[in-house]
Amino acid sequence: MFLNCHTYHSLRYGTISVEDLVQQAADHQLKVLALTDINTVTGIYQFYKLCQEKKIKPIVGVDVRVGNEQYYICLAKNPKGIAEINRLLTDYNCESIEIPRANPELENTFLIYPTRNIPERLLDHEFIGIRQDEINLLFNPELKALIHKMVILHPITFKTDEEYELHKVLRAIAGNTLFTKLTEDDYCKSNENFMGKRELLKKYSQYPEIIENTKYVVNACSFDFDFKTPKNKKYFTSSKKSDFELLKQLAFDGLHTKYSVDDIQAKARVEKELAVIDQLNFCGYFLITWDIIQYSKRMGFMHVGRGSGANSIVSYCIGITDICPLELDLYFERFLNLNRKTPPDFDIDWSWKNRDTILEYIFTKYGKDHVAFCGTNVEFKSRSRFRELGKVFGLPKEELDQLSKKPKDQHDQNSIVQEIYKYEKLLIGFPNQRSMHSCGILISEEPITDYSALEFPPKEFPIAQFDMHTAEEIGLEKFDILSQRGLGTIKDTVNLIEEKRGIIVDIEDTRISKNETKCNEYLSIGKTIGCFYIESPAMRGLLRRLKCEDYKVLVAASSIIRPGVAQSGMMREYIFRHNHPDQFEYFHEVFEKELGETYGIMVYQEDVIKIALHFGGVSAENGDVLRRAMSGKGRSLSALQKLKDDFFESCSKKGHPEQLSQEVYRQIESFAGYSFCKAHSASYAVESYQSLYLKVYYPIEFMVSAINNGGGFYRTEVYVHEAKMAGATIHNPCVNLSEFQTTVYGTDVYLGLMHIEKLEATIKQVIPEERKNNGDYRSLEDFVKRVSIGIETLQTLIFIGAFRCTGKQKHELLIEARFLLSKGQYRTKVISLFAEPQKDYQLPVIERNQFEDAFDEIEILGFPVSFSIFDLLKTKYRGHVMVQDLLKYHKKQVKMLAYLISRKHVPIKNKNHPGKRDDMYFGTWIDSEGEYFDTAHFPDSLRKFPFKEGGIYLLLGTVEIDYHFPTITITKMAKMPLIADPRYSMDQEKSQEIERSLREDVSMTSRKPYPQEQEIGLPRSKMK
């Protein structure tokens, strides 16, 4: 009888979760229930499964609305019906085809119209919904004549009176209006909650025909869904057999290219994998991925195939990945095994510049009707909850900022804020909007609208209305098509070296991208800024602690830097054992045999499988199931408990003591869900090494490319500094030598026009294009005639020194600009065959303060170019100790002067209140010689000497050397003043503005505090 139920997937409308809706129906002993969220099918598959569990017949459909107006309710008679509804919504969302107000062509769907939208004619499958508060209207002759086409309509939108008020709040948020400005048309009726079935039927007792019509509709609807059958595109060719033959041919072709003819192990591994891939019907999945890679190669793009897919020798042989699984002893079972019923993900990275081209190929090749991005449900985050509620209740901007940015103890505790607190709690976990999964692509055999309506977000690729978990549950596995800036940096560097030096670098040659002497030296001292994945302060510190000198240690470092490994204490223990291999025992011989490469420590996800297999005696397949279950990918607690029981039973059969088995399982449990698989780490390590090779041998070109690709962990200023340290001379943007991006001529680096934020995007492109077409700009007047520009923009170019090629001072150019352009106006581009020479005039030479340019640069670029930031200090003091000498000062106090680069927030346990946490920071700095060092700031120090944003600080602290890596534990620090801005010598307040604008990079962490070393207790001696 309840044919129009909404959940909170009816965004900013419904207030009930899918689970709660079904539970309420069960509590009311209902035998049938319909889910009809507004314009979405997001929840229908979860709804179907929950109804099955509760022995309730599920009916699915959609409440079709345009704006606030309800057109009709669609109920699918069968799976074809939901496909029709999805197509209707998709045409509207993606093709802007208007939804008809009446009689849409939906053959397998019942339509129920509200009384506000009764069509002129009703088709056989169309009805009118009569709400309980509309029954009295049936005395109207016009309506009375339609009783034979009426059904019971009792919508469900909320559960309690409190949720009814929440519904109204959501409607105000949706309308971006005040709560008090809502009208009755904006929100639902006050009776849209569950009531007893008998009570509801009693209200319609005078109209048995309406009740019978309702029963007819309910009985005629049947939505059965097969969750077990894969929905992905089945075959790359035309059949399973031809797919297997093609994959086999490609695999053996690659085998003969990458391995010697007599490599029996490689051949056996290929044959074993092919048998599993064929048995699980995954040949098409491999071949589609191969096809995408082939297109990428034809386009000259670089890619990285990473994740568990790199455990497969078949994916290596056919070119999806670049990691040899035999070299690194990678388990195929981590990727694919006979217990796995769904295809694994291939994670493929491209440059951020090339990804859209790859996506366009996929959508074109496999058809827009069969391809879509996974959706995601973006919940109301804490800040947005407070901000949205504050707007609804009419708070001014200042109070909104306080409410959303500050902790509760700093809020003004008035009655409105208390009201906001009430609704803020209720909104936790509510979806706020649907968005696009960052990388997950679905390619289906049947039209994708058989399963979901599609939406069309601003990025111009259609998205399904459900997330990756629902996609996996219904049998649609995603292809992860990712992008990153590291590959763009590598590719651009290779191109720049060829363009500027005529040198061709084969960066994919593993002889230079895995083991090179000078690169290994850079690794060991953490000289890796700009290099993909290994440039963060934490990673550089880890490389130094390990004195990392080869590719295999780099692979391990790429995994143990992960939060979960650090959380389990295994990172700390790995560092100890790596540096002191003679100061520990393997606590069991299996760990020595299977994990000898990593000193008996589980570093990779594959290690979980190894230990489960060789210590616990479980199969490799079940070892992977155990790993997946612990990582949250197998979400059944009962299944995890069974695996745990099987593990201990197997350990007992092998004769292991209970205490030993408990310790092994504890290590697995604390670790399995957070680490990288080894193949993932190996893929990252290859790309890191490629970056490092270019940094070592072509540092200027590499840093220019890093700058042009948006950098990585740090802001642009840091990469400019790195280029300078590598021998480059840095120049401000110039109208005659700069391009849109930063460019290099020998060792002269000219910053690109892209770095001038105040410049319009079109102007940044037009300046170099016009110069390329018609030659250098001969003067300011020539520039103004050729480029349409306003006075403010022209002044910005003058202040940054972009016209220094004219040989004139800035004040001369500013006066000339005023002559050429009247304030605030744009000059239209003028092309003249006979340009009149500019009238010559002489201005007096003005003595300028030498530091004025530096302050111009900080204001426009964010950092100085003409001078070092240290040159702008009031003091001449440069510190007691320089970075190069820190290793001599272990446990000694030092005083240093340093420029703040970045700081990383780390939560730690409060010493006095174990349940609470304190904040500490790790800082990264450069000294006046340009060298980097790191600091630790504990809560006691921070309370007295907090960070005051970017700038130069005087630091006092004690040097702690931790395995070759010095860190200064700060006891005191003070921000040092710069000289007054000479451009505003008459205005003291204005002369301090630029100093306050200096930037820093801040990384905030919200995870739980790491345990202390004594809390971990990883055994260093043999257990019996």
Side-chain angles (χ1 to χ4, degrees):
M1 299 299 146
F2 299 91
L3 303 182
N4 185 206
C5 298
H6 306 115
T7 68
Y8 58 24
H9 291 301
S10 294
L11 297 179
R12 303 186 177 196
Y13 191 95
T15 67
I16 311 170
S17 67
V18 179
E19 298 95 330
D20 209 3
L21 178 74
V22 176
Q23 185 58 53
Q24 284 185 76
D27 293 343
H28 282 83
Q29 299 181 327
L30 298 180
K31 298 301 179 187
V32 63
L33 188 68
L35 176 63
T36 56
D37 274 315
I38 296 170
N39 293 353
T40 184
V41 294
T42 303
I44 65 171
Y45 299 104
Q46 182 189 14
F47 172 76
Y48 178 91
K49 282 192 167 184
L50 290 170
C51 283
Q52 295 274 322
E53 290 173 13
K54 300 290 184 183
K55 304 292 189 290
I56 296 171
K57 177 182 176 179
I59 298 174
V60 297
V62 168
D63 185 339
V64 176
R65 303 192 183 196
V66 175
N68 266 358
E69 186 178 0
Q70 184 182 44
Y71 279 15
Y72 32 76
I73 298 146
C74 295
L75 298 176
K77 295 179 184 179
N78 48 49
K80 288 182 181 177
I82 203 68
E84 289 175 347
I85 297 166
N86 289 339
R87 187 77 253 166
L88 178 78
L89 292 172
T90 300
D91 286 345
Y92 176 67
N93 294 333
C94 300
E95 309 291 341
S96 299
I97 298 172
E98 286 192 19
I99 295 175
R101 287 176 58 87
N103 312 127
E105 294 182 17
L106 302 173
E107 296 176 6
N108 296 280
T109 305
F110 286 115
L111 268 73
I112 301 172
Y113 293 91
T115 53
R116 287 185 176 187
N117 185 37
I118 299 174
E120 291 182 7
R121 65 190 179 104
L122 285 166
L123 304 177
D124 289 346
H125 61 283
E126 297 182 335
F127 295 86
I128 300 163
I130 294 295
R131 301 166 66 114
Q132 57 178 300
D133 48 21
E134 295 173 332
I135 293 174
N136 290 338
L137 300 177
L138 296 183
F139 292 105
N140 181 310
E142 289 183 11
L143 285 176
K144 195 171 184 178
L146 294 170
I147 285 176
H148 69 289
K149 291 292 286 182
M150 290 182 179
V151 294
I152 296 170
L153 182 60
H154 182 76
I156 303 296
T157 300
F158 59 91
K159 184 178 179 181
T160 62
D161 290 344
E162 185 178 52
E163 284 191 11
Y164 182 48
E165 295 305 307
L166 176 62
H167 161 74
K168 290 181 182 177
V169 167
L170 286 168
R171 299 308 298 138
I173 291 173
N176 195 25
T177 188
L178 294 174
F179 185 78
T180 53
K181 293 281 183 73
L182 290 173
T183 67
E184 286 188 4
D185 289 338
D186 292 322
Y187 51 84
C188 73
K189 302 282 188 184
S190 60
N191 62 358
E192 292 193 11
N193 55 354
F194 274 107
M195 62 190 300
K197 179 182 173 183
R198 285 184 182 177
E199 183 186 351
L200 180 61
L201 288 175
K202 190 176 178 182
K203 293 181 182 294
Y204 294 85
S205 58
Q206 296 178 44
Y207 301 99
E209 199 170 2
I210 294 178
I211 295 172
E212 288 306 311
N213 286 341
T214 308
K215 288 180 179 178
Y216 164 72
V217 169
V218 165
N219 292 331
C221 287
S222 176
F223 181 67
D224 290 320
F225 191 83
D226 176 13
F227 285 87
K228 293 180 180 178
T229 305
K231 311 298 186 299
N232 279 54
K233 183 171 174 59
K234 285 183 183 179
Y235 314 123
F236 176 71
T237 58
S238 58
S239 68
K240 178 182 176 181
K241 184 181 178 183
S242 57
D243 269 8
F244 179 71
E245 291 301 322
L246 176 57
L247 183 62
K248 182 178 179 180
Q249 180 191 331
L250 293 170
F252 277 99
D253 287 348
L255 176 71
H256 298 144
T257 302
K258 295 176 185 286
Y259 297 95
S260 62
V261 178
D262 57 348
D263 195 326
I264 299 169
Q265 184 188 10
K267 184 171 183 280
R269 173 75 173 254
V270 168
E271 289 173 343
K272 172 192 168 186
E273 287 191 16
L274 283 171
V276 174
I277 293 166
D278 184 41
Q279 190 174 337
L280 293 175
N281 298 317
F282 291 161
C283 293
Y285 195 86
F286 272 74
L287 289 170
I288 290 169
T289 308
W290 166 81
D291 172 60
I292 296 166
I293 299 300
Q294 292 304 110
Y295 172 75
S296 171
K297 288 180 176 177
R298 290 196 299 272
M299 295 296 291
F301 298 161
M302 281 187 72
H303 82 279
V304 171
R306 59 178 175 84
S308 60
N311 284 14
S312 163
I313 196 170
V314 170
S315 60
Y316 175 56
C317 287
I318 68 175
I320 294 173
T321 64
D322 291 315
I323 303 298
C324 169
L326 301 181
E327 177 190 356
L328 294 170
D329 189 23
L330 302 180
Y331 274 37
F332 176 61
E333 289 79 6
R334 164 64 184 85
F335 176 58
L336 202 57
N337 58 71
L338 294 176
N339 282 346
R340 188 163 189 166
K341 306 305 178 192
T342 57
D345 292 346
F346 273 117
D347 297 345
I348 315 290
D349 283 350
W350 277 273
S351 164
W352 63 291
K353 296 176 179 177
N354 303 143
R355 180 174 179 253
D356 280 359
T357 306
I358 296 295
L359 291 174
E360 285 168 10
Y361 172 76
I362 295 170
F363 276 84
T364 302
K365 172 74 183 273
Y366 297 98
K368 66 174 186 177
D369 290 337
H370 297 266
V371 185
F373 266 93
C374 274
T376 59
N377 284 315
V378 181
E379 295 179 359
F380 281 99
K381 299 293 188 291
S382 177
R383 279 191 175 190
S384 69
R385 290 197 299 271
F386 279 116
R387 184 166 287 279
E388 294 288 1
L389 290 168
K391 285 194 286 187
V392 163
F393 288 101
L395 294 185
K397 184 182 183 304
E398 297 75 24
E399 292 184 47
L400 281 178
D401 289 341
Q402 184 193 55
L403 204 62
S404 62
K405 293 178 181 177
K406 293 187 177 179
K408 282 188 175 181
D409 56 11
Q410 295 181 31
H411 292 172
D412 183 0
Q413 302 294 324
N414 56 45
S415 59
I416 293 178
V417 170
Q418 293 302 318
E419 192 81 352
I420 288 170
Y421 284 170
K422 180 176 78 172
Y423 292 114
E424 187 271 334
K425 273 188 182 176
L426 293 173
L427 277 179
I428 293 172
F430 267 51
N432 179 25
Q433 60 187 33
R434 274 182 294 278
S435 185
M436 187 168 82
H437 188 279
S438 59
C439 57
I441 296 281
L442 306 173
I443 305 177
S444 61
E445 176 69 18
E446 302 301 329
I448 205 153
T449 48
D450 281 9
Y451 314 110
S452 174
L454 304 181
E455 297 182 359
F456 207 58
K459 287 199 174 180
E460 297 186 355
F461 290 108
I463 63 169
Q465 290 185 327
F466 47 65
D467 63 17
M468 57 180 276
H469 300 296
T470 301
E472 184 175 329
E473 282 177 0
I474 70 173
L476 271 171
E477 286 298 321
K478 60 185 172 60
F479 296 76
D480 282 338
I481 308 297
L482 303 107
S483 70
Q484 46 146 295
R485 295 181 184 273
L487 282 173
T489 298
I490 292 169
K491 185 67 174 174
D492 286 358
T493 306
V494 170
N495 291 342
L496 197 58
I497 294 165
E498 184 176 358
E499 177 193 339
K500 299 292 183 178
R501 297 206 199 183
I503 298 171
I504 296 174
V505 178
D506 182 7
I507 199 60
E508 296 183 43
D509 180 352
T510 54
R511 287 171 297 178
I512 65 173
S513 62
K514 276 192 180 177
N515 194 19
E516 201 282 331
T517 304
K518 195 171 177 184
C519 292
N520 290 340
E521 289 173 14
Y522 272 52
L523 272 179
S524 68
I525 58 174
K527 196 171 180 181
T528 55
I529 285 181
C531 299
F532 173 78
Y533 200 70
I534 56 172
E535 65 166 338
S536 71
M539 192 66 182
R540 289 188 297 107
L542 175 60
L543 294 173
R544 290 185 69 175
R545 287 182 177 95
L546 294 173
K547 211 168 184 183
C548 177
E549 292 179 324
D550 62 52
Y551 169 73
K552 286 198 173 182
V553 177
L554 178 60
V555 173
S558 298
S559 184
I560 65 175
I561 195 68
R562 299 277 290 170
V565 190
Q567 184 79 35
S568 70
M570 293 186 187
M571 179 171 81
R572 189 79 204 161
E573 188 63 20
Y574 181 90
I575 295 169
F576 172 83
R577 295 184 184 190
H578 180 77
N579 283 283
H580 304 291
D582 56 342
Q583 292 184 27
F584 74 94
E585 294 179 310
Y586 290 94
F587 74 95
H588 191 274
E589 52 268 20
V590 168
F591 282 72
E592 182 172 12
K593 182 182 177 185
E594 299 301 330
L595 306 181
E597 184 184 306
T598 56
Y599 316 108
I601 294 170
M602 280 182 276
V603 167
Y604 311 109
Q605 287 179 352
E606 286 87 345
D607 296 342
V608 173
I609 304 173
K610 282 184 181 180
I611 295 305
L613 175 65
H614 298 289
F615 178 86
V618 303
S619 67
E621 291 85 356
N622 280 336
D624 185 49
V625 173
L626 179 68
R627 178 201 62 76
R628 282 175 61 81
M630 286 182 168
S631 69
K633 292 183 178 179
R635 287 173 282 178
S636 167
L637 290 175
S638 59
L640 179 58
Q641 185 60 48
K642 184 180 184 307
L643 287 166
K644 183 176 180 179
D645 294 341
D646 290 348
F647 175 81
F648 280 107
E649 184 182 339
S650 181
C651 286
S652 178
K653 286 179 182 175
K654 288 176 75 75
H656 296 313
E658 177 74 13
Q659 186 182 0
L660 177 62
S661 300
Q662 289 282 1
E663 170 57 27
V664 172
Y665 192 82
R666 183 193 73 80
Q667 289 187 30
I668 291 173
E669 194 170 37
S670 67
F671 171 75
Y674 300 98
S675 58
F676 273 175
C677 68
K678 188 175 184 180
H680 196 117
S681 297
S683 300
Y684 268 7
V686 167
E687 186 179 345
S688 300
Y689 214 104
Q690 288 170 331
S691 300
L692 183 62
Y693 180 85
L694 295 171
K695 178 184 172 76
V696 168
Y697 289 101
Y698 308 96
I700 297 175
E701 288 85 356
F702 178 73
M703 281 305 154
V704 166
S705 297
I707 291 166
N708 289 336
N709 279 276
F713 189 88
Y714 306 96
R715 60 191 183 275
T716 300
E717 177 182 7
V718 178
Y719 302 105
V720 171
H721 171 74
E722 278 289 289
K724 189 184 289 186
M725 295 292 285
T729 303
I730 309 299
H731 299 274
N732 283 318
C734 169
V735 293
N736 276 339
L737 289 166
S738 288
E739 304 292 339
F740 172 78
Q741 294 188 321
T742 297
T743 191
V744 59
Y745 306 95
T747 58
D748 289 305
V749 171
Y750 280 81
L751 296 176
L753 298 169
M754 63 186 280
H755 300 297
I756 306 176
E757 289 182 13
K758 294 179 182 177
L759 227 59
E760 295 168 28
T762 51
I763 295 289
K764 295 175 187 179
Q765 298 280 2
V766 164
I767 291 172
E769 283 173 14
E770 167 61 26
R771 185 183 72 228
K772 184 180 179 182
N773 293 333
N774 297 303
D776 284 356
Y777 300 105
R778 298 182 298 279
S779 64
L780 184 65
E781 182 181 25
D782 181 45
F783 177 86
V784 168
K785 284 179 179 178
R786 292 162 60 184
V787 177
S788 300
I789 197 166
I791 187 66
E792 297 294 333
T793 307
L794 189 59
Q795 286 179 169
T796 298
L797 287 170
I798 291 170
F799 281 127
I800 201 59
F803 292 101
R804 59 191 180 279
C805 51
T806 64
K808 294 183 178 180
Q809 288 186 302
K810 286 183 183 179
H811 77 282
E812 288 183 81
L813 292 166
L814 289 168
I815 293 170
E816 187 178 346
R818 293 285 174 176
F819 278 128
L820 294 168
L821 296 176
S822 58
K823 190 175 182 181
Q825 290 182 336
Y826 279 80
R827 278 289 296 268
T828 306
K829 182 174 176 180
V830 176
I831 299 174
S832 174
L833 289 174
F834 305 103
E836 291 183 21
Q838 183 185 327
K839 291 180 181 177
D840 200 15
Y841 53 85
Q842 195 70 36
L843 289 171
V845 175
I846 295 178
E847 287 293 323
R848 299 182 79 244
N849 185 299
Q850 61 173 339
F851 296 122
E852 282 188 44
D853 286 343
F855 281 90
D856 281 339
E857 290 152 6
I858 295 172
E859 184 175 345
I860 295 170
L861 300 175
F863 53 91
V865 175
S866 305
F867 292 89
S868 159
I869 189 71
F870 290 92
D871 294 331
L872 306 181
L873 278 172
K874 278 186 177 180
T875 178
K876 299 297 180 188
Y877 179 70
R878 292 294 179 266
H880 172 59
V881 173
M882 291 295 155
V883 171
Q884 61 181 346
D885 297 319
L886 280 179
L887 290 173
K888 302 174 187 174
Y889 285 84
H890 183 47
K891 297 293 183 185
K892 294 179 182 176
Q893 192 175 75
V894 294
K895 188 188 287 186
M896 298 184 72
L897 199 73
Y899 182 47
L900 180 58
I901 297 299
S902 68
R903 55 184 165 108
K904 169 76 173 174
H905 169 259
V906 179
I908 62 171
K909 293 181 179 178
N910 187 299
K911 289 183 291 186
N912 303 319
H913 304 281
K916 294 185 177 180
R917 63 190 205 173
D918 271 326
D919 295 327
M920 75 170 288
Y921 280 91
F922 290 109
T924 299
W925 313 74
I926 56 172
D927 67 9
S928 60
E929 293 178 347
E931 299 295 337
Y932 299 87
F933 69 99
D934 293 83
T935 56
H937 304 252
F938 288 92
D940 291 344
S941 165
L942 281 170
R943 277 189 277 274
K944 295 176 186 174
F945 305 101
F947 284 94
K948 295 182 178 177
E949 298 180 325
I952 296 177
Y953 287 71
L954 183 63
L955 306 171
L956 184 69
T958 304
V959 178
E960 306 284 347
I961 309 236
D962 183 35
Y963 302 108
H964 331 293
F965 177 60
T967 304
I968 303 172
T969 302
I970 298 300
T971 50
K972 295 181 180 179
M973 70 175 180
K975 190 172 178 182
M976 303 298 285
L978 301 184
I979 59 172
D981 187 340
R983 303 171 306 166
Y984 303 105
S985 56
M986 306 296 289
D987 186 337
Q988 187 172 356
E989 179 64 26
K990 195 85 172 162
S991 70
Q992 305 301 317
E993 273 187 10
I994 290 298
E995 183 175 350
R996 290 192 288 268
S997 73
L998 290 172
R999 302 174 190 173
E1000 57 176 331
D1001 296 314
V1002 184
S1003 304
M1004 296 301 293
T1005 313
S1006 57
R1007 59 163 173 72
K1008 292 178 181 178
Y1010 284 163
Q1012 301 302 304
E1013 194 168 350
Q1014 67 273 11
E1015 297 176 273
I1016 296 160
L1018 204 65
R1020 285 185 186 166
S1021 56
K1022 193 167 187 175
M1023 289 184 71
K1024 296 179 181 177

